[in-house]
């Protein structure tokens, strides 16, 4: 009997399409059928909060609100070094001048915004306003003067000079220097109501999808580029190389320590609810 497809929500970014290509196309032996929805990470966080998907990529910053209904998987997520969000400006202003700035961020529960809030609290910097924009609209808005600074993620690390913008803060660099740990950015969650056997099945299938992507990177090429929002192939390749790593295969002890450090610090600062794993 054919099983009803499970719903999977991921971003159209190259790291997600690269990782999930084999699973989404029925190329992982024994894996359940999958129906894919693509959305911006802030939208995925909201869809998970509404319980709208079986399997979903979310921000680690959103985890404290989601773990009652979803379980965190060990495979498929985005954790790494040298890959953190950047705070950009159009005028090269120094850090003290960011106090009172108008900031655009990619979502209220994104890891990027959580890191920004932790960093700002450490330096006692208060912004005049913070507004959410789809991540691909942030750089044009800062360039055009609608905001004093913008918090960017994903491939914007590679493309911001083309918008005439300057890096004010590398929040990943700050996080690594402060904690010595990698940056936990995106998590893969599975609905708990599917049951423990299905959770194990999906974790195994996602890990095999990662491994198949590495074994045959050309297999996913067309799918990756079709969803990469007119990104240059070289940028897509750099994106995948940065965000898909051994932590994608398995969080491992260091990845789990990074997640715990982020969310424990956030809870201690009153920015998120305390974690209940």
């Amino acid at each position: 009997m054919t099983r009803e497809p499970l719903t999977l929500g991921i971003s159209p970014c190259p790291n997600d399409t690269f990782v999930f290509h084999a699973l989404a196309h029925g190329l992982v032996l024994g894996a359940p059928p999958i129906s894919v929805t693509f959305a911006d990470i802030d939208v995925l966080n909201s869809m998970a909060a509404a319980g709208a998907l079986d399997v979903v990529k979310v921000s680690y910053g959103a985890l404290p609100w989601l773990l009652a209904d979803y379980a965190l998987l060990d495979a498929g997520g985005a954790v790494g070094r040298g890959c953190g969000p950047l705070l950009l400006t159009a005028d090269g202003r120094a850090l003290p001048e960011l106090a009172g700035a108008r900031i655009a961020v990619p979502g209220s529960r994104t890891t990027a915004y959580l890191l920004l809030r932790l960093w700002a609290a450490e330096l006692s910097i208060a912004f005049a306003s913070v507004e959410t924009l789809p991540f691909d609209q942030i750089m044009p808005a800062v360039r055009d003067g609608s905001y004093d600074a913008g918090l960017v993620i994903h491939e914007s690390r590679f493309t911001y000079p083309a918008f005439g913008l300057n890096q004010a803060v590398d929040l990943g660099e700050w996080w690594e220097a402060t904690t010595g740990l990698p940056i936990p950015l995106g998590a893969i969650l599975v609905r708990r109501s599917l049951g423990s056997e299905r959770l194990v099945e999906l974790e195994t299938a996602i890990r095999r999808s990662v491994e198949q992507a590495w074994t045959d990177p050309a297999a996913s090429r067309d799918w990756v580029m079709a969803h990469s929002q007119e990104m240059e192939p070289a940028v897509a390749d750099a994106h995948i190389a940065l965000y898909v790593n051994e932590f994608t295969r398995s969080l491992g002890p260091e990845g789990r320590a990074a997640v715990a450090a982020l969310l424990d610090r956030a809870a201690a600062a009153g920015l998120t609810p305390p974690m209940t794993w």
Side-chain angles (χ1 to χ4, degrees), residues 72-130:
L72 173 65
L73 293 191
D74 185 62
V79 175
R81 295 183 181 276
C83 61
L86 306 178
L87 189 63
L88 305 177
T89 67
D91 54 12
R93 66 177 63 192
L95 296 188
E97 296 171 324
L98 289 170
R102 299 163 299 146
I103 309 289
V105 302
S108 61
R109 291 185 179 176
T110 57
T111 308
Y113 183 42
L114 183 57
L115 286 169
L116 179 66
R117 295 171 77 190
L118 289 169
W119 169 82
E122 182 176 280
L123 297 181
S124 299
I125 292 176
F127 303 122
S129 64
V130 176

Side-chain angles (χ1 to χ4, degrees), residues 194-213:
L194 293 175
S196 57
E197 286 189 16
R198 181 55 66 89
L199 266 63
V200 171
E201 176 189 36
L202 284 164
E203 186 170 270
T204 300
I206 292 170
R207 183 169 291 115
R208 288 176 178 165
S209 190
V210 174
E211 292 167 350
Q212 287 179 218

Side-chain angles (χ1 to χ4, degrees), residues 21 43 61 76 86 103 107-108 120 159 165 173-175 203 231 272:
H21 172 265
V43 175
L86 306 178
I103 309 289
S108 61
T159 59
L165 301 181
E173 187 177 273
W174 167 79
W175 171 259
E203 186 170 270
M231 194 184 303
T272 65

Side-chain angles (χ1 to χ4, degrees), residues 15 28 35 79 129 145 154 158-159 164 169 197 209 243 251 265 268:
N15 61 309
V28 177
S35 172
V79 175
S129 64
H154 304 320
F158 309 107
T159 59
V169 185
E197 286 189 16
S209 190
Y243 291 100
L251 273 173
R265 283 170 178 251

Side-chain angles (χ1 to χ4, degrees), residues 147-163:
Y147 298 90
D148 300 312
L151 183 63
V152 300
I153 54 178
H154 304 320
E155 67 276 3
S156 299
R157 288 189 64 89
F158 309 107
T159 59
Y160 73 85
F163 290 81

Side-chain angles (χ1 to χ4, degrees), residues 9-13 16 38-48 56-62 105-112 133-135 153-154 185-188:
I10 57 175
S11 82
C13 294
D16 282 355
F38 293 101
D40 174 87
I41 190 63
D42 191 44
V43 175
L44 291 172
N45 289 342
S46 297
M47 293 179 77
V56 58
K57 170 81 170 281
V58 301
S59 303
Y60 271 110
V105 302
S108 61
R109 291 185 179 176
T110 57
T111 308
L133 288 182
F135 81 90
I153 54 178
H154 304 320
L185 297 170
I188 304 299

Side-chain angles (χ1 to χ4, degrees), residues 9-21 36-42 44 57 76 78 106 134-136 152-158 220-232 235-241 243-244:
I10 57 175
S11 82
C13 294
N15 61 309
D16 282 355
T17 49
F18 180 79
V19 163
F20 286 94
H21 172 265
V36 181
T37 295
F38 293 101
D40 174 87
I41 190 63
D42 191 44
L44 291 172
K57 170 81 170 281
F135 81 90
D136 59 339
V152 300
I153 54 178
H154 304 320
E155 67 276 3
S156 299
R157 288 189 64 89
F158 309 107
S220 64
R221 186 68 172 178
D222 289 346
W223 203 56
V224 168
M225 294 312 300
H227 294 283
S228 62
Q229 301 178 351
E230 301 182 358
M231 194 184 303
E232 291 293 329
V235 174
D237 291 342
H239 185 112
I240 292 167
Y243 291 100
V244 184

